[in-house]
Amino acid sequence: MSGINYPHKVAALDLHGMCRRIASHIGWVIIAIGAVVLVSWVFDIEAGKRILPTFQSMKFNTALCFIACGFILKRKAPAAASASDPVAALLALFILVVSGLTLFEYGSGWQLGIDNLVILDTATAPEDWPGRMSGAAALCFTMIGAAWLAIATPLHRSTMILQILALAVIMISGAALIGYVFGVQQFRLSVFSTMALHTAVLFVLCGAGMLFVRPGDGLMYSAASSYIGGRSLRRLLPFIIVTPVLAGWLSPAGQLVGRSVEHLMPDRFRKGHTGFRSEYQRSPEQRMIG
């Protein structure tokens, strides 16, 4: 009925607007960091390329693709943004072509000349493919480009495709980021390895921005809801993300100082955990089940 105010709908609209503003700000951050890396390559500033001497460097093509990602987020963030924006589609196509050709180089062993097309990478050993973005970065950019192109087409469930690919990007880059937290930069699955620290951070931001662009549809519908389910999910999500990482970091840290993570538990939980661990270590059957 007209004239009736629906608080939940008003709150949802406010939340959706906030999500889109966050996506726009993320776009600016990605553009700024990408530009800093480009300038670092032009003037050979190692701190901008790899942050620390022992870390991997963000390649020139990677920074260029990130700038394109940032501009896409800026164009797609407003609520009135057109789904078939030709500029955003061209930027997405550029990202897809560069990353796709890079994956083709890895798969075929050929060198197409795109890695050092603009800036020559002289600091990387020849066997490590100078100037070439990592396979993980190329895979993430391929998913990002495909996701934005899906939005530009009249595909059914295009928003769902965008958000699923955004989550995949967050998972891959998040694994690389957690590797830096634990001091592990080489994984059994090479797709998680050799990604620069700021590359991993920007991919997480890209994925988050892609989710925030359409907060009222697809997977984000419940997360951005103004009802109790959405509010509970938003409050629990930081703990869901941080707690496993923090617990994994505390366990080896406690062993280094001579204390296990059990000393951080309340007494009633500590006794049960200690008993289960002893039984787990004694019983081969239990180990096989675990």
Side-chain angles (χ1 to χ4, degrees):
M1 295 175 61
S2 60
I4 298 179
N5 187 15
Y6 296 93
H8 288 294
K9 291 185 178 180
V10 174
L13 290 175
D14 292 341
L15 184 60
H16 294 173
M18 183 181 67
C19 288
R20 293 190 178 95
R21 288 192 297 273
I22 292 174
S24 180
H25 295 328
I26 288 175
W28 279 124
V29 171
I30 293 172
I31 292 170
I33 296 178
V36 168
V37 175
L38 288 185
V39 172
S40 299
W41 275 102
V42 172
F43 294 100
D44 196 20
I45 303 173
E46 288 297 323
K49 291 188 284 186
R50 65 179 73 244
I51 300 181
L52 292 177
T54 57
F55 287 176
Q56 298 289 335
S57 63
M58 183 190 294
K59 305 304 181 185
F60 187 89
N61 287 354
T62 305
L64 206 58
C65 288
F66 272 130
I67 291 177
C69 290
F71 278 114
I72 293 175
L73 281 177
K74 287 295 299 177
R75 297 187 67 87
K76 291 292 188 179
S82 172
S84 57
D85 183 358
V87 176
L90 285 175
L91 291 172
L93 184 61
F94 168 77
I95 295 170
L96 188 60
V97 168
V98 173
S99 58
L101 289 177
T102 303
L103 288 177
F104 177 78
E105 286 182 322
Y106 277 114
S108 64
W110 295 357
Q111 295 194 43
L112 303 178
I114 64 171
D115 303 324
N116 295 287
L117 185 62
V118 181
I119 297 291
L120 184 63
D121 182 7
T122 58
T124 304
E127 61 271 14
D128 293 332
W129 307 108
R132 183 178 300 179
M133 70 175 73
S134 67
L139 179 60
C140 288
F141 278 131
T142 300
M143 291 189 289
I144 290 173
W148 288 122
L149 285 178
I151 287 293
T153 60
L155 285 175
H156 185 58
R157 301 276 187 180
S158 59
T159 299
M160 188 71 72
I161 295 173
L162 171 75
Q163 293 171 348
I164 290 174
L165 291 177
L167 289 175
V169 170
I170 292 174
M171 288 178 61
I172 294 174
S173 55
L177 196 58
I178 292 172
Y180 278 99
V181 173
F182 287 95
V184 178
Q185 297 184 33
Q186 293 295 329
F187 296 83
R188 289 186 178 181
L189 291 176
S190 59
V191 69
F192 298 118
S193 304
T194 68
M195 185 181 288
L197 175 60
H198 41 343
T199 300
V201 172
L202 290 188
F203 272 130
V204 171
L205 290 177
C206 276
M210 292 164 69
L211 292 175
F212 289 153
V213 161
R214 294 195 173 182
D217 299 319
L219 300 175
M220 287 293 291
Y221 177 79
S222 297
S225 170
S226 60
Y227 291 94
I228 187 170
R231 295 199 302 270
S232 300
L233 178 60
R234 291 192 296 274
R235 290 172 182 172
L236 289 173
L237 192 59
F239 297 98
I240 295 172
I241 296 173
V242 173
T243 301
V245 179
L246 184 61
W249 179 82
L250 283 175
S251 182
Q255 292 174 3
L256 287 176
V257 297
R259 295 173 66 87
S260 68
V261 73
E262 294 167 0
H263 290 83
L264 302 176
M265 299 180 179
D267 290 339
R268 56 179 179 175
F269 293 118
R270 186 191 310 162
K271 293 177 181 178
H273 181 268
T274 304
F276 172 78
R277 192 178 68 171
S278 301
E279 182 65 24
Y280 181 84
Q281 292 173 345
R282 284 197 306 267
S283 173
E285 294 82 5
Q286 185 70 19
R287 286 201 297 271
M288 290 177 65
I289 294 174

